[in-house]
Amino acid sequence: MTDTAPVATVERLAQFAGQTVTLRGWIYHKSSKGKLHFVQLRDGTGTVQCVVFKKNVPEELFEAIGASGQESSLSLVGEVVADERAPGGYEIQVRSGEVLQAAEEYPISPKEHGADFLLSRRHLWLRSRRQWAIMRIRDAVVTALRGFFAERDFLCIDSPMFTPNACEGTSTLFEVDYFDRHAFLTQSGQLYAEASAMAFGKVYCFGPTFRAEKSKTRRHLTEFWMLEPEVAFADLNDVMQLAEDMMVYTVGQVLERRRTELEVLERDVSKLEAIQGPFPRITYDEAAKILVEHPESEFKPGDDFGAPDETILSESYDRPLMITHYPVGVKAFYMKRDPEQPDKALCVDVLGTEGVGELIGGSQREDDLDLLLERIQEHDLPKEAFEWYLDLRRYGSVPHGGFGLGLERMVGWIAGVEHVRECIPYPRTIYRIEP
Ligand code: 4AD
Ligand code: MG
């Protein structure tokens, strides 16, 4: 019987209703009452209650399950029975099976643990229900994003991780030995994405990016994933519309595909259902005015917005807020200046709802060779290292733009998870590189 029952997964149990199947997984929780064990079996795709009646199974199996602790691995064969009271709607009436390895004293018990304890055991913590839900939402976000761009004929062209120069300022660069010279880990794939856009039109890159962030906040990682579309013949408005459409689509896909996970996280889905276009759009100057008049803000005109400022600004909206036209002094060298007000950049930051702050940063790029050279000088950047980038303005320069979406911040926002360290499988932060 063990050999013939088809292998099922918890998320696909409905397809096997009434049949006998093999399920393989780990004991998430177990309770025993005399002649009965209730095993919450976790198989990675979900958990299901397996009922092990002493009279229904071989004696050794009943004893072995009785002696197995949390996270013991096992293979069980049983009938898939519909049960309204069961979460997910099914339970398993076990007939046979085997314990593959009996675990003892699993360190993460269902009781509360501190963040540091859990982060040190991230390799095991990933098995818990909350982390399961977050990682599955992350997966759905990635799938949605890739699908969104594929549907719109964007080409995925990835940028390198080792780079000879800085993209987002020199203060957060990780320097590494590169044979007989130095290199940096990339802060953003953008500059290469611009080259790719001139070769392929509409592109995106999606990969890990690195920042030596000294800040220890709930939204900074030293290694995070960024998705960066870059579009030839696009202006700031095109870039903003693309970001809006992408966000609406992605939230919609998570609502469609990850209901159970959102429930596990007790996410208020009405907040997600409200994410529809058009998003409100205001300028930096308008935002500055709101902050200056706000009693709790320490903002000074001309400064960049701090995290508390972003929270104040986004609080009055139930949709993401797009803020444009920041002063050039607080933004990167590659941003195009607004011809109508040259002290402002043609840029946009997108702030999530519920006070989560910046999720996306983007802009139209400086496409004029001489102006770009000026910017490189003003920012004290080594011209030689940017010669290849300047070529893009020498050979068929066109208006273009794009943005970067921080994946972990997007996942945290959608999942309602406060800290980005729970939104990446193995977080790297200023104090942590293990496990
Ligand atoms: O605003 P940033 O720095 O923009 C860029 O890097 C541009 N080159 C992107 C582009 O136009 N192609 O970063 C983009 C996004 C932020 O909005 C934020 O979501 C995320 O990346 N981000 C971080 N996420 C986690 N930890 C950090 N340390 C982050 N720094 C930025
Ligand atoms: Mg930014």
Side-chain angles (χ1 to χ4, degrees):
M1 192 176 183
T2 312
D3 298 331
T4 53
V7 175
T9 56
V10 173
E11 70 178 335
R12 298 238 175 245
L13 278 181
Q15 294 171 8
F16 296 90
Q19 295 180 41
T20 295
V21 299
T22 303
L23 280 176
R24 301 180 294 206
W26 298 263
I27 297 178
Y28 193 58
H29 183 73
K30 186 190 73 182
S31 61
S32 302
K33 290 189 207 145
K35 297 180 178 357
L36 204 54
H37 298 305
F38 292 106
V39 174
Q40 291 291 332
L41 185 80
R42 176 183 77 70
D43 79 339
T45 72
T47 54
V48 65
Q49 170 152 287
C50 301
V51 182
V52 190
F53 248 119
K54 189 168 182 174
K55 66 173 171 47
N56 288 347
V57 298
E59 179 75 28
E60 329 72 91
L61 179 63
F62 190 82
E63 298 303 323
I65 291 175
S68 297
Q70 188 186 348
E71 289 302 324
S72 296
S73 48
L74 65 181
S75 169
L76 296 175
V77 175
E79 195 186 332
V80 181
V81 182
D83 181 346
E84 279 167 21
R85 292 159 306 168
Y90 296 92
E91 66 173 28
I92 309 296
Q93 293 290 342
V94 178
R95 303 287 165 190
S96 64
E98 64 177 311
V99 172
L100 304 174
Q101 192 253 325
E104 282 171 36
E105 302 202 28
Y106 183 66
I108 305 179
S109 58
K111 71 163 203 238
E112 290 277 312
H113 296 283
D116 220 50
F117 178 93
L118 292 168
L119 283 164
S120 298
R121 290 159 188 78
R122 184 61 170 169
H123 55 296
L124 301 176
W125 187 25
L126 281 172
R127 302 181 187 193
S128 73
R129 193 125 176 93
R130 177 178 159 88
Q131 301 310 312
W132 172 83
I134 299 169
M135 288 305 126
R136 284 177 56 100
I137 289 173
R138 179 182 165 108
D139 161 80
V141 168
V142 171
T143 303
L145 290 169
R146 289 200 183 273
F148 173 85
F149 286 106
E151 247 167 54
R152 290 172 175 237
D153 297 334
F154 278 66
L155 212 63
C156 174
I157 300 267
D158 288 319
S159 297
M161 302 292 106
F162 284 127
T163 58
N165 47 359
C167 178
E168 294 297 321
T170 47
S171 63
T172 62
L173 280 172
F174 276 114
E175 199 169 343
V176 291
D177 287 337
Y178 196 80
F179 304 107
D180 55 356
R181 57 177 287 191
H182 294 294
F184 304 109
L185 296 179
T186 188
Q187 297 166 303
S188 157
Q190 178 196 322
L191 305 186
Y192 295 93
E194 285 184 54
S196 302
M198 295 309 131
F200 298 95
K202 294 193 288 185
V203 302
Y204 72 94
C205 62
F206 192 16
T209 45
F210 307 88
R211 301 218 183 155
E213 299 276 7
K214 306 267 163 28
S215 46
K216 194 191 167 200
T217 74
R218 57 170 190 80
R219 48 190 205 166
H220 287 98
L221 294 163
T222 54
E223 176 181 320
F224 63 97
W225 280 64
M226 193 170 1
L227 185 144
E228 297 177 89
E230 193 68 34
V231 187
F233 305 103
D235 63 13
L236 178 61
N237 273 321
D238 299 324
V239 168
M240 290 167 73
Q241 194 57 50
L242 183 67
E244 179 179 305
D245 293 346
M246 179 196 75
M247 289 177 84
V248 170
Y249 178 79
T250 304
V251 170
Q253 285 291 297
V254 174
L255 281 168
E256 204 172 302
R257 298 187 55 217
R258 294 293 187 253
R259 283 276 164 180
T260 309
E261 291 79 356
L262 292 167
E263 261 167 53
V264 167
L265 297 169
E266 297 176 9
R267 182 71 171 112
D268 178 354
V269 291
S270 73
K271 298 267 201 275
L272 297 177
E273 282 157 355
I275 309 304
Q276 301 292 338
F279 293 172
R281 300 174 176 204
I282 63 174
T283 63
Y284 171 92
D285 284 344
E286 287 164 340
K289 194 158 174 280
I290 297 172
L291 292 174
V292 165
E293 286 163 12
H294 196 283
E296 273 149 54
S297 176
E298 289 166 18
F299 170 81
K300 289 189 194 54
D303 285 0
D304 202 355
F305 303 131
D309 299 325
E310 291 183 346
T311 301
I312 292 169
L313 291 169
S314 59
E315 260 168 3
S316 18
Y317 302 96
D318 65 351
R319 299 166 188 215
L321 174 63
M322 297 181 139
I323 307 180
T324 63
H325 300 87
Y326 284 66
V328 292
V330 302
K331 289 294 183 189
F333 76 96
Y334 52 72
M335 292 188 178
K336 191 174 179 64
R337 296 190 175 192
D338 184 354
E340 256 128 61
Q341 31 172 359
D343 59 328
K344 297 292 191 324
L346 290 174
C347 66
V348 61
D349 272 14
V350 185
L351 314 186
T353 52
E354 300 163 80
V356 301
E358 179 190 341
L359 302 176
I360 288 177
S363 75
Q364 193 172 328
R365 320 305 188 188
E366 184 50 73
D367 51 358
D368 180 88
L369 179 63
D370 294 329
L371 293 177
L372 186 57
L373 270 168
E374 272 178 37
R375 299 292 98 80
I376 287 174
Q377 265 151 26
E378 277 165 18
H379 282 80
D380 218 11
L381 295 165
K383 178 171 171 263
E384 319 73 64
F386 288 93
E387 279 302 335
W388 70 267
Y389 184 66
L390 291 164
D391 272 353
L392 308 176
R393 280 73 182 167
R394 290 185 184 110
Y395 307 112
S397 190
V398 299
H400 66 286
F403 62 81
L405 162 75
L407 177 64
E408 290 74 21
R409 290 197 191 169
M410 179 82 163
V411 170
W413 170 59
I414 294 177
V417 170
E418 175 141 353
H419 207 301
V420 287
R421 68 188 172 203
E422 280 187 81
C423 300
I424 188 165
Y426 302 95
R428 268 76 183 98
T429 54
I430 180 165
Y431 298 121
R432 183 174 291 281
I433 195 171
E434 274 126 4

